[in-house]
Coordinates of all heavy atoms in Angstrom, one line a residue:
A1 N -37.4 49.3 111.5 CA -37.0 48.7 110.2 C -37.1 47.2 110.2 O -37.4 46.6 109.2 CB -35.6 49.2 109.8
F2 N -36.7 46.6 111.3 CA -36.7 45.1 111.4 C -38.1 44.5 111.4 O -38.4 43.4 111.1 CB -36.0 44.6 112.6 CG -34.5 44.9 112.5 CD1 -33.9 45.9 113.3 CD2 -33.7 44.1 111.7 CE1 -32.6 46.1 113.2 CE2 -32.4 44.4 111.6 CZ -31.8 45.4 112.3
K3 N -39.1 45.3 111.8 CA -40.5 44.8 111.9 C -41.3 45.1 110.5 O -42.3 44.5 110.3 CB -41.3 45.5 113.0 CG -40.8 45.0 114.4 CD -41.5 45.7 115.5 CE -40.9 45.3 116.8 NZ -41.6 45.9 117.9
S4 N -40.7 46.0 109.7 CA -41.4 46.4 108.5 C -41.2 45.3 107.4 O -40.0 44.8 107.2 CB -40.8 47.7 107.9 OG -41.2 47.9 106.6
T5 N -42.2 44.9 106.7 CA -42.1 43.9 105.7 C -41.3 44.4 104.5 O -40.8 43.7 103.7 CB -43.5 43.4 105.2 OG1 -44.3 44.5 104.8 CG2 -44.2 42.7 106.4
D6 N -41.2 45.8 104.4 CA -40.5 46.4 103.3 C -39.0 46.2 103.4 O -38.2 46.2 102.4 CB -40.8 47.9 103.1 CG -42.2 48.1 102.7 OD1 -42.8 47.2 102.0 OD2 -42.8 49.1 103.1
T7 N -38.5 46.1 104.7 CA -37.0 46.1 104.9 C -36.5 44.9 105.7 O -35.3 44.6 105.6 CB -36.6 47.4 105.6 OG1 -37.3 47.5 106.8 CG2 -36.8 48.6 104.8
K8 N -37.4 44.2 106.3 CA -36.8 43.1 107.2 C -36.0 42.1 106.6 O -35.1 41.5 107.2 CB -37.9 42.6 108.1 CG -38.8 41.5 107.5 CD -39.8 40.9 108.5 CE -40.4 39.7 108.0 NZ -41.2 39.0 109.0
T9 N -36.3 41.7 105.3 CA -35.5 40.6 104.7 C -34.5 41.2 103.7 O -33.9 40.5 103.0 CB -36.4 39.7 103.9 OG1 -37.2 40.4 103.0 CG2 -37.3 38.9 104.9
R10 N -34.3 42.5 103.7 CA -33.4 43.1 102.8 C -32.3 43.8 103.6 O -32.4 44.9 104.1 CB -34.1 44.2 101.9 CG -35.0 43.5 101.0 CD -35.8 44.5 100.2 NE -36.6 43.8 99.1 CZ -37.6 43.0 99.3 NH1 -38.0 42.7 100.5 NH2 -38.2 42.5 98.2
D11 N -31.1 43.1 103.8 CA -30.1 43.5 104.7 C -29.5 44.9 104.3 O -29.3 45.7 105.2 CB -29.0 42.5 104.8 CG -28.3 42.2 103.5 OD1 -28.9 42.5 102.4 OD2 -27.2 41.7 103.5
Q12 N -29.4 45.2 103.1 CA -28.8 46.5 102.7 C -29.8 47.6 103.0 O -29.4 48.7 103.5 CB -28.5 46.5 101.2 CG -27.4 45.5 100.8 CD -26.1 45.7 101.5 OE1 -25.7 46.8 101.6 NE2 -25.5 44.6 101.9
A13 N -31.1 47.4 102.8 CA -32.1 48.5 103.2 C -32.1 48.7 104.7 O -32.2 49.8 105.1 CB -33.5 48.1 102.6
T14 N -32.1 47.6 105.4 CA -32.1 47.8 106.9 C -30.9 48.5 107.4 O -30.9 49.3 108.3 CB -32.3 46.4 107.5 OG1 -33.5 45.7 107.0 CG2 -32.4 46.5 109.0
L15 N -29.8 48.1 106.8 CA -28.5 48.8 107.2 C -28.6 50.3 106.9 O -28.2 51.1 107.7 CB -27.3 48.2 106.4 CG -26.0 48.7 106.7 CD1 -25.6 48.6 108.1 CD2 -25.0 48.1 105.8
A16 N -29.1 50.7 105.7 CA -29.2 52.1 105.3 C -30.2 52.8 106.3 O -29.9 53.9 106.8 CB -29.7 52.2 103.9
V17 N -31.3 52.2 106.6 CA -32.3 52.9 107.5 C -31.7 53.0 108.9 O -31.8 54.1 109.5 CB -33.6 52.0 107.5 CG1 -34.5 52.5 108.7 CG2 -34.3 52.1 106.2
S18 N -31.0 52.1 109.3 CA -30.3 52.2 110.6 C -29.3 53.3 110.7 O -29.2 54.0 111.6 CB -29.7 50.8 111.0 OG -30.7 49.8 111.1
A19 N -28.5 53.3 109.6 CA -27.4 54.4 109.5 C -28.1 55.8 109.6 O -27.6 56.7 110.3 CB -26.6 54.2 108.3
W20 N -29.1 56.0 108.8 CA -29.8 57.3 108.8 C -30.4 57.6 110.1 O -30.4 58.7 110.6 CB -30.9 57.3 107.7 CG -30.3 57.3 106.3 CD1 -29.1 57.9 105.8 CD2 -30.9 56.7 105.1 NE1 -29.0 57.6 104.5 CE2 -30.0 56.9 104.1 CE3 -32.0 55.9 105.0 CZ2 -30.3 56.4 102.8 CZ3 -32.3 55.4 103.7 CH2 -31.4 55.7 102.6
K21 N -31.1 56.6 110.7 CA -31.8 56.8 112.0 C -30.8 57.3 113.1 O -31.1 58.2 113.9 CB -32.4 55.5 112.5 CG -33.1 55.6 113.8 CD -33.8 54.4 114.3 CE -34.4 54.6 115.6 NZ -35.2 53.4 116.1
F22 N -29.6 56.7 113.1 CA -28.6 57.1 114.1 C -27.5 58.1 113.6 O -26.5 58.3 114.3 CB -27.9 55.8 114.6 CG -28.9 54.9 115.3 CD1 -29.3 53.8 114.7 CD2 -29.3 55.2 116.6 CE1 -30.2 52.9 115.4 CE2 -30.2 54.4 117.3 CZ -30.7 53.3 116.6
G23 N -27.8 58.7 112.4 CA -26.9 59.8 112.0 C -25.6 59.3 111.5 O -24.6 60.1 111.6
L24 N -25.5 58.1 111.0 CA -24.2 57.5 110.7 C -23.9 57.6 109.2 O -22.9 57.0 108.7 CB -24.1 56.1 111.2 CG -24.3 55.9 112.7 CD1 -24.4 54.4 113.0 CD2 -23.1 56.6 113.4
Q25 N -24.7 58.2 108.4 CA -24.6 58.1 106.9 C -23.3 58.8 106.4 O -22.9 58.5 105.3 CB -25.8 58.7 106.3 CG -26.0 60.2 106.5 CD -26.8 60.5 107.7 OE1 -27.0 59.7 108.6 NE2 -27.2 61.8 107.8
D26 N -22.7 59.6 107.2 CA -21.5 60.3 106.7 C -20.2 59.6 107.2 O -19.1 60.2 107.0 CB -21.5 61.8 107.1 CG -22.6 62.5 106.4 OD1 -22.9 62.2 105.2 OD2 -23.3 63.4 107.0
Q27 N -20.3 58.5 107.9 CA -19.1 57.8 108.4 C -18.3 57.2 107.2 O -18.9 56.9 106.2 CB -19.6 56.7 109.3 CG -20.2 57.1 110.6 CD -19.3 57.9 111.5 OE1 -18.1 57.4 111.7 NE2 -19.7 59.0 112.0
K28 N -17.0 57.2 107.4 CA -16.2 56.6 106.4 C -16.6 55.1 106.3 O -16.8 54.4 107.2 CB -14.7 56.7 106.8 CG -13.8 56.2 105.8 CD -12.3 56.4 106.3 CE -11.4 55.8 105.3 NZ -10.0 55.9 105.7
T29 N -16.6 54.6 105.0 CA -17.0 53.2 104.8 C -15.8 52.3 105.0 O -14.6 52.7 104.9 CB -17.5 53.0 103.4 OG1 -16.6 53.4 102.4 CG2 -18.8 53.8 103.2
L30 N -16.0 51.0 105.3 CA -15.0 50.1 105.4 C -14.3 49.9 104.0 O -15.0 50.0 103.0 CB -15.5 48.7 105.9 CG -16.0 48.6 107.3 CD1 -16.7 47.3 107.5 CD2 -14.8 48.8 108.2
P31 N -13.0 49.5 104.0 CA -12.4 49.2 102.7 C -13.1 48.0 102.1 O -13.7 47.1 102.8 CB -11.0 48.8 103.1 CG -10.8 49.4 104.4 CD -12.1 49.5 105.1
Q32 N -13.2 48.0 100.8 CA -13.9 46.9 100.0 C -13.5 45.5 100.4 O -14.3 44.6 100.4 CB -13.8 47.1 98.5 CG -14.7 46.2 97.8 CD -14.7 46.5 96.3 OE1 -13.8 47.0 95.7 NE2 -15.8 46.2 95.7
R33 N -12.3 45.3 100.8 CA -11.8 44.0 101.2 C -12.6 43.4 102.3 O -12.6 42.2 102.5 CB -10.3 43.9 101.4 CG -9.9 44.6 102.7 CD -8.4 44.6 102.7 NE -7.9 45.0 104.1 CZ -7.5 44.1 105.0 NH1 -7.5 42.8 104.7 NH2 -7.2 44.5 106.2
F34 N -13.3 44.2 103.1 CA -14.1 43.7 104.2 C -15.5 43.3 103.9 O -16.2 42.7 104.7 CB -14.1 44.7 105.4 CG -12.8 44.8 106.1 CD1 -11.9 45.9 105.9 CD2 -12.3 43.8 106.9 CE1 -10.7 46.0 106.5 CE2 -11.1 43.9 107.5 CZ -10.3 45.0 107.3
N35 N -15.9 43.6 102.7 CA -17.2 43.2 102.2 C -17.2 43.3 100.6 O -17.8 44.1 100.0 CB -18.3 44.1 102.7 CG -19.7 43.5 102.4 OD1 -19.8 42.3 102.1 ND2 -20.7 44.3 102.4
F36 N -16.5 42.3 100.1 CA -16.3 42.2 98.6 C -17.6 41.7 98.0 O -17.9 40.5 98.2 CB -15.2 41.4 98.2 CG -14.9 41.2 96.8 CD1 -15.0 42.3 95.9 CD2 -14.6 40.0 96.3 CE1 -14.8 42.1 94.5 CE2 -14.4 39.8 94.9 CZ -14.5 40.9 94.1
I37 N -18.4 42.5 97.4 CA -19.7 42.1 96.8 C -19.4 41.5 95.5 O -19.0 42.2 94.5 CB -20.7 43.2 96.8 CG1 -21.0 43.7 98.2 CG2 -22.0 42.8 96.1 CD1 -21.8 45.0 98.2
A38 N -19.6 40.2 95.4 CA -19.3 39.5 94.1 C -20.6 39.5 93.2 O -21.4 38.6 93.3 CB -18.9 38.1 94.4
E39 N -20.6 40.4 92.3 CA -21.8 40.6 91.4 C -21.5 39.8 90.2 O -20.6 40.1 89.4 CB -21.9 42.1 91.1 CG -22.9 42.4 90.0 CD -24.3 41.8 90.3 OE1 -24.9 42.1 91.4 OE2 -24.8 41.0 89.5
Y40 N -22.3 38.7 90.0 CA -22.1 37.8 88.9 C -22.3 38.6 87.5 O -21.5 38.2 86.6 CB -23.2 36.7 88.9 CG -23.1 35.7 87.8 CD1 -22.2 34.7 87.9 CD2 -23.9 35.8 86.7 CE1 -22.1 33.7 86.9 CE2 -23.8 34.9 85.6 CZ -22.9 33.9 85.8 OH -22.8 33.0 84.8
A41 N -23.1 39.5 87.4 CA -23.4 40.2 86.2 C -22.3 41.2 85.8 O -22.3 41.7 84.7 CB -24.7 41.0 86.2
N42 N -21.3 41.4 86.6 CA -20.2 42.3 86.3 C -19.0 41.5 85.9 O -18.4 40.9 86.8 CB -19.9 43.2 87.6 CG -18.8 44.2 87.3 OD1 -18.1 44.1 86.3 ND2 -18.7 45.2 88.2
P43 N -18.7 41.5 84.6 CA -17.5 40.7 84.2 C -16.2 41.2 84.7 O -15.2 40.5 84.6 CB -17.6 40.8 82.7 CG -18.3 42.1 82.4 CD -19.3 42.3 83.5
D44 N -16.1 42.4 85.3 CA -14.8 42.9 85.8 C -14.5 42.3 87.2 O -13.4 42.5 87.7 CB -14.9 44.4 85.9 CG -14.8 45.1 84.5 OD1 -14.4 44.4 83.6 OD2 -15.2 46.3 84.4
I45 N -15.5 41.7 87.8 CA -15.3 41.0 89.1 C -14.9 39.6 88.8 O -15.6 38.8 88.3 CB -16.6 41.1 90.0 CG1 -16.8 42.6 90.3 CG2 -16.5 40.2 91.2 CD1 -18.1 42.8 91.1
R46 N -13.6 39.3 89.2 CA -13.0 38.0 88.9 C -12.1 37.5 90.0 O -11.7 38.3 90.8 CB -12.3 38.1 87.6 CG -13.2 38.7 86.4 CD -12.4 39.1 85.2 NE -11.5 38.1 84.8 CZ -10.7 38.3 83.7 NH1 -10.7 39.4 83.1 NH2 -9.9 37.3 83.3
W47 N -11.7 36.3 89.8 CA -10.7 35.6 90.7 C -9.8 34.7 89.8 O -10.4 34.1 88.9 CB -11.3 34.8 91.8 CG -10.4 34.0 92.6 CD1 -9.6 34.5 93.6 CD2 -10.0 32.6 92.4 NE1 -8.8 33.5 94.0 CE2 -9.0 32.3 93.3 CE3 -10.4 31.6 91.5 CZ2 -8.5 31.1 93.4 CZ3 -9.9 30.4 91.6 CH2 -8.9 30.1 92.6
C48 N -8.6 34.7 90.1 CA -7.7 33.7 89.5 C -6.6 33.4 90.6 O -6.3 34.3 91.4 CB -7.1 34.1 88.2 SG -5.7 35.1 88.3
P49 N -6.2 32.1 90.7 CA -5.2 31.7 91.7 C -3.9 32.6 91.8 O -3.4 32.9 92.8 CB -4.9 30.3 91.4 CG -5.9 29.8 90.5 CD -6.5 31.0 89.8
E50 N -3.4 33.0 90.6 CA -2.2 33.8 90.5 C -2.4 35.2 91.0 O -1.5 35.8 91.6 CB -1.6 33.7 89.1 CG -1.2 32.4 88.7 CD -2.4 31.5 88.1 OE1 -3.4 32.1 87.7 OE2 -2.3 30.3 88.3
K51 N -3.5 35.8 90.6 CA -3.7 37.3 90.8 C -4.6 37.6 92.0 O -4.6 38.7 92.5 CB -4.3 37.9 89.6 CG -3.3 37.8 88.4 CD -4.0 38.5 87.2 CE -3.2 38.4 85.9 NZ -3.9 39.0 84.8
G52 N -5.4 36.7 92.5 CA -6.3 37.0 93.5 C -7.6 37.5 93.0 O -8.1 37.1 91.9
Y53 N -8.3 38.4 93.7 CA -9.6 38.9 93.3 C -9.5 40.3 92.7 O -8.5 41.1 93.1 CB -10.5 39.0 94.6 CG -10.8 37.7 95.2 CD1 -9.9 37.1 96.1 CD2 -12.0 37.1 94.9 CE1 -10.2 35.9 96.6 CE2 -12.3 35.8 95.5 CZ -11.4 35.2 96.3 OH -11.7 34.0 96.9
S54 N -10.4 40.7 91.9 CA -10.4 42.0 91.3 C -11.8 42.4 91.0 O -12.7 41.6 90.7 CB -9.6 42.0 90.0 OG -9.6 43.3 89.4
Y55 N -12.1 43.7 91.1 CA -13.4 44.3 90.8 C -13.3 45.2 89.6 O -14.2 45.8 89.2 CB -14.0 45.0 92.0 CG -13.1 46.1 92.6 CD1 -13.0 47.3 92.0 CD2 -12.3 45.8 93.7 CE1 -12.2 48.3 92.6 CE2 -11.4 46.8 94.2 CZ -11.4 48.0 93.6 OH -10.5 48.9 94.2
D56 N -12.0 45.3 89.0 CA -11.8 46.2 87.9 C -11.0 45.5 86.8 O -10.2 46.1 86.2 CB -11.1 47.5 88.3 CG -9.8 47.2 89.1 OD1 -9.3 46.1 89.1 OD2 -9.3 48.2 89.6
N57 N -11.3 44.2 86.6 CA -10.6 43.4 85.5 C -9.1 43.5 85.6 O -8.4 43.6 84.7 CB -11.1 43.9 84.1 CG -10.8 42.8 83.1 OD1 -10.6 41.7 83.4 ND2 -10.7 43.3 81.8
Y58 N -8.6 43.4 86.9 CA -7.2 43.3 87.2 C -6.4 44.6 86.9 O -5.2 44.5 86.7 CB -6.5 42.0 86.6 CG -7.0 40.8 87.3 CD1 -7.9 40.0 86.7 CD2 -6.7 40.6 88.6 CE1 -8.4 38.9 87.3 CE2 -7.2 39.5 89.3 CZ -8.0 38.6 88.6 OH -8.5 37.6 89.3
Q59 N -7.0 45.7 86.9 CA -6.3 46.9 87.0 C -5.7 47.0 88.4 O -4.7 47.7 88.6 CB -7.2 48.1 86.7 CG -7.6 48.2 85.3 CD -8.5 49.4 85.0 OE1 -8.3 50.5 85.5 NE2 -9.5 49.2 84.2
S60 N -6.4 46.4 89.4 CA -5.9 46.2 90.7 C -6.4 44.8 91.2 O -7.3 44.2 90.6 CB -6.4 47.3 91.6 OG -7.9 47.2 91.7
S61 N -5.8 44.3 92.3 CA -6.2 43.1 92.8 C -6.1 43.1 94.4 O -5.3 44.0 94.9 CB -5.5 41.9 92.2 OG -4.1 42.0 92.6
F62 N -6.7 42.2 95.1 CA -6.6 42.2 96.5 C -7.1 40.9 97.0 O -7.6 40.1 96.3 CB -7.5 43.4 97.1 CG -8.9 43.3 96.9 CD1 -9.8 42.8 97.9 CD2 -9.5 43.6 95.6 CE1 -11.2 42.7 97.7 CE2 -10.9 43.4 95.4 CZ -11.7 43.0 96.4
Q63 N -7.0 40.7 98.3 CA -7.4 39.5 99.0 C -8.5 39.9 100.0 O -8.2 40.5 101.0 CB -6.3 38.8 99.7 CG -5.3 38.1 98.8 CD -5.8 37.1 97.9 OE1 -6.8 36.3 98.3 NE2 -5.3 37.0 96.7
P64 N -9.8 39.6 99.7 CA -10.9 40.0 100.6 C -10.9 39.2 101.9 O -10.5 38.1 101.9 CB -12.1 39.7 99.7 CG -11.7 38.7 98.8 CD -10.3 38.9 98.5
V65 N -11.4 39.8 102.9 CA -11.6 39.2 104.2 C -13.0 38.5 104.2 O -13.2 37.5 104.8 CB -11.6 40.3 105.3 CG1 -11.9 39.7 106.7 CG2 -10.2 40.9 105.3
F66 N -14.0 39.1 103.4 CA -15.3 38.6 103.4 C -15.8 38.6 102.0 O -15.7 39.7 101.3 CB -16.2 39.4 104.3 CG -17.7 39.0 104.4 CD1 -18.0 37.9 105.2 CD2 -18.6 39.6 103.6 CE1 -19.3 37.4 105.2 CE2 -19.9 39.1 103.7 CZ -20.3 38.1 104.5
L67 N -16.4 37.5 101.5 CA -17.0 37.5 100.2 C -18.5 37.6 100.3 O -19.1 36.8 101.1 CB -16.7 36.2 99.4 CG -15.3 36.0 99.0 CD1 -15.1 34.6 98.5 CD2 -15.0 37.0 97.9
H68 N -19.2 38.5 99.7 CA -20.6 38.6 99.7 C -21.2 38.0 98.4 O -21.1 38.6 97.4 CB -21.0 40.1 99.8 CG -22.4 40.3 100.1 ND1 -22.8 41.3 100.9 CD2 -23.5 39.7 99.7 CE1 -24.2 41.3 100.9 NE2 -24.6 40.4 100.2
I69 N -21.6 36.7 98.5 CA -22.1 36.0 97.4 C -23.6 35.8 97.6 O -24.0 35.1 98.5 CB -21.4 34.6 97.2 CG1 -19.9 34.9 96.9 CG2 -22.0 33.9 96.0 CD1 -19.1 33.6 96.9
Y70 N -24.4 36.3 96.7 CA -25.9 36.3 97.0 C -26.6 35.7 95.8 O -27.8 35.6 95.9 CB -26.4 37.6 97.4 CG -26.1 38.7 96.4 CD1 -27.0 39.0 95.4 CD2 -24.9 39.4 96.5 CE1 -26.7 40.0 94.5 CE2 -24.7 40.4 95.6 CZ -25.6 40.7 94.6 OH -25.3 41.7 93.7
H71 N -26.0 35.3 94.8 CA -26.6 34.6 93.7 C -25.6 33.8 92.9 O -24.4 33.9 93.2 CB -27.4 35.6 92.7 CG -26.5 36.7 92.2 ND1 -26.7 37.2 90.9 CD2 -25.5 37.3 92.7 CE1 -25.8 38.1 90.7 NE2 -25.0 38.2 91.8
H72 N -26.1 32.9 92.1 CA -25.3 31.9 91.3 C -24.5 31.0 92.3 O -23.4 30.6 92.0 CB -24.4 32.6 90.3 CG -25.1 33.0 89.1 ND1 -25.2 32.3 88.0 CD2 -25.9 34.1 88.9 CE1 -26.0 32.9 87.1 NE2 -26.4 34.0 87.6
W73 N -25.1 30.8 93.4 CA -24.5 29.9 94.4 C -24.2 28.5 93.8 O -25.1 27.9 93.2 CB -25.4 29.8 95.6 CG -24.8 29.1 96.8 CD1 -24.9 27.8 97.2 CD2 -23.9 29.7 97.8 NE1 -24.2 27.6 98.3 CE2 -23.6 28.7 98.7 CE3 -23.4 31.0 97.9 CZ2 -22.7 28.9 99.8 CZ3 -22.5 31.2 99.0 CH2 -22.2 30.2 99.9
G74 N -23.0 28.0 93.8 CA -22.7 26.7 93.3 C -22.4 26.7 91.9 O -22.2 25.6 91.3
D75 N -22.4 27.8 91.2 CA -22.1 27.9 89.7 C -20.6 27.7 89.5 O -19.9 28.7 89.6 CB -22.6 29.2 89.2 CG -22.5 29.3 87.7 OD1 -21.7 28.5 87.1 OD2 -23.1 30.2 87.1
S76 N -20.2 26.5 89.2 CA -18.7 26.3 89.1 C -18.1 26.9 87.8 O -16.9 26.9 87.7 CB -18.4 24.8 89.2 OG -19.1 24.1 88.1
S77 N -18.9 27.4 87.0 CA -18.4 28.1 85.8 C -17.9 29.5 86.1 O -17.2 30.2 85.3 CB -19.4 28.2 84.6 OG -20.5 29.0 85.0
W78 N -18.3 30.0 87.3 CA -18.0 31.4 87.7 C -16.7 31.4 88.5 O -16.5 30.6 89.4 CB -19.2 31.9 88.6 CG -19.1 33.3 89.0 CD1 -18.5 34.3 88.4 CD2 -19.8 33.8 90.2 NE1 -18.7 35.5 89.1 CE2 -19.5 35.2 90.2 CE3 -20.6 33.3 91.2 CZ2 -20.0 36.0 91.2 CZ3 -21.1 34.1 92.1 CH2 -20.8 35.5 92.2
S79 N -15.8 32.3 88.1 CA -14.5 32.3 88.8 C -14.6 32.5 90.3 O -13.8 32.0 91.1 CB -13.5 33.3 88.2 OG -13.9 34.6 88.4
I80 N -15.5 33.3 90.7 CA -15.7 33.6 92.2 C -16.1 32.3 92.9 O -15.6 32.0 94.0 CB -16.7 34.7 92.4 CG1 -16.3 36.0 91.8 CG2 -17.0 34.9 93.9 CD1 -15.0 36.6 92.3
W81 N -17.0 31.5 92.3 CA -17.3 30.3 93.0 C -16.1 29.3 92.9 O -15.9 28.6 93.9 CB -18.6 29.6 92.3 CG -19.0 28.5 93.1 CD1 -18.8 27.2 92.9 CD2 -19.6 28.5 94.4 NE1 -19.3 26.4 93.9 CE2 -19.8 27.2 94.9 CE3 -20.0 29.6 95.2 CZ2 -20.4 26.9 96.1 CZ3 -20.6 29.3 96.5 CH2 -20.8 28.0 96.9
Q82 N -15.3 29.3 91.9 CA -14.1 28.5 91.9 C -13.2 28.9 93.0 O -12.6 28.0 93.6 CB -13.4 28.7 90.5 CG -14.2 28.1 89.4 CD -13.7 28.5 88.0 OE1 -12.5 29.0 87.9 NE2 -14.4 28.3 87.0
S83 N -13.2 30.2 93.4 CA -12.4 30.6 94.5 C -12.9 30.0 95.8 O -12.1 29.6 96.7 CB -12.3 32.1 94.6 OG -13.4 32.7 95.2
V84 N -14.2 29.9 95.9 CA -14.8 29.3 97.1 C -14.4 27.9 97.3 O -14.0 27.4 98.3 CB -16.3 29.5 97.1 CG1 -17.0 28.7 98.3 CG2 -16.8 31.0 97.2
L85 N -14.5 27.2 96.2 CA -14.0 25.8 96.1 C -12.5 25.7 96.5 O -12.1 24.8 97.2 CB -14.3 25.1 94.8 CG -15.8 25.0 94.4 CD1 -15.9 24.5 93.0 CD2 -16.6 24.2 95.4
N86 N -11.7 26.5 96.0 CA -10.3 26.5 96.2 C -10.1 26.8 97.7 O -9.2 26.1 98.3 CB -9.6 27.6 95.4 CG -8.1 27.6 95.5 OD1 -7.5 26.6 95.2 ND2 -7.6 28.7 96.0
I87 N -10.8 27.7 98.3 CA -10.6 28.0 99.7 C -11.0 26.7 100.5 O -10.3 26.3 101.5 CB -11.4 29.2 100.2 CG1 -10.9 30.5 99.6 CG2 -11.5 29.3 101.7 CD1 -11.8 31.7 99.7
G88 N -12.2 26.2 100.2 CA -12.6 25.0 100.9 C -11.6 23.8 100.8 O -11.3 23.1 101.8
K89 N -11.0 23.6 99.7 CA -10.1 22.5 99.5 C -8.8 22.8 100.3 O -8.2 21.9 100.9 CB -9.7 22.3 98.0 CG -10.8 21.7 97.2 CD -10.5 21.6 95.8 CE -11.8 21.1 95.0 NZ -11.6 21.1 93.6
S90 N -8.3 24.1 100.3 CA -7.1 24.4 101.0 C -7.3 24.3 102.5 O -6.4 24.1 103.3 CB -6.6 25.8 100.6 OG -7.5 26.8 101.1
Q91 N -8.6 24.5 103.0 CA -8.9 24.4 104.4 C -9.3 23.0 104.8 O -9.6 22.7 106.0 CB -10.0 25.4 104.8 CG -9.7 26.8 104.5 CD -8.6 27.3 105.5 OE1 -8.6 27.1 106.6 NE2 -7.7 28.1 104.9
G92 N -9.3 22.1 103.8 CA -9.7 20.7 104.1 C -11.1 20.4 104.4 O -11.5 19.4 105.0
V93 N -12.0 21.3 104.0 CA -13.4 21.1 104.2 C -14.2 20.6 103.0 O -15.3 20.3 103.1 CB -14.1 22.4 104.7 CG1 -13.6 22.8 106.1 CG2 -14.0 23.6 103.7
L94 N -13.5 20.5 101.9 CA -14.0 19.9 100.7 C -13.2 18.8 100.2 O -12.0 18.7 100.3 CB -14.1 21.0 99.5 CG -15.1 22.1 99.8 CD1 -15.1 23.1 98.6 CD2 -16.5 21.6 99.9

């Protein structure tokens, strides 16, 4: 899969192919907080300082361990990016 031009630059495809190859497709998945995919086009995915992160418009909220941001990088109008800036400021890197 890593040598194929169809999958080598697509991490999700390579991960799926690897899981199938080694018979891991039925393994329990990690909780979402370990790979919170921040989809810009989904308005239910949000962040606010008081509530944290949500993927269901605050029917629930959580604190992710890893943010998966793959588009709208640097878009300060997006609450998820505002959270990145907030983290950077609180860590003294911004």
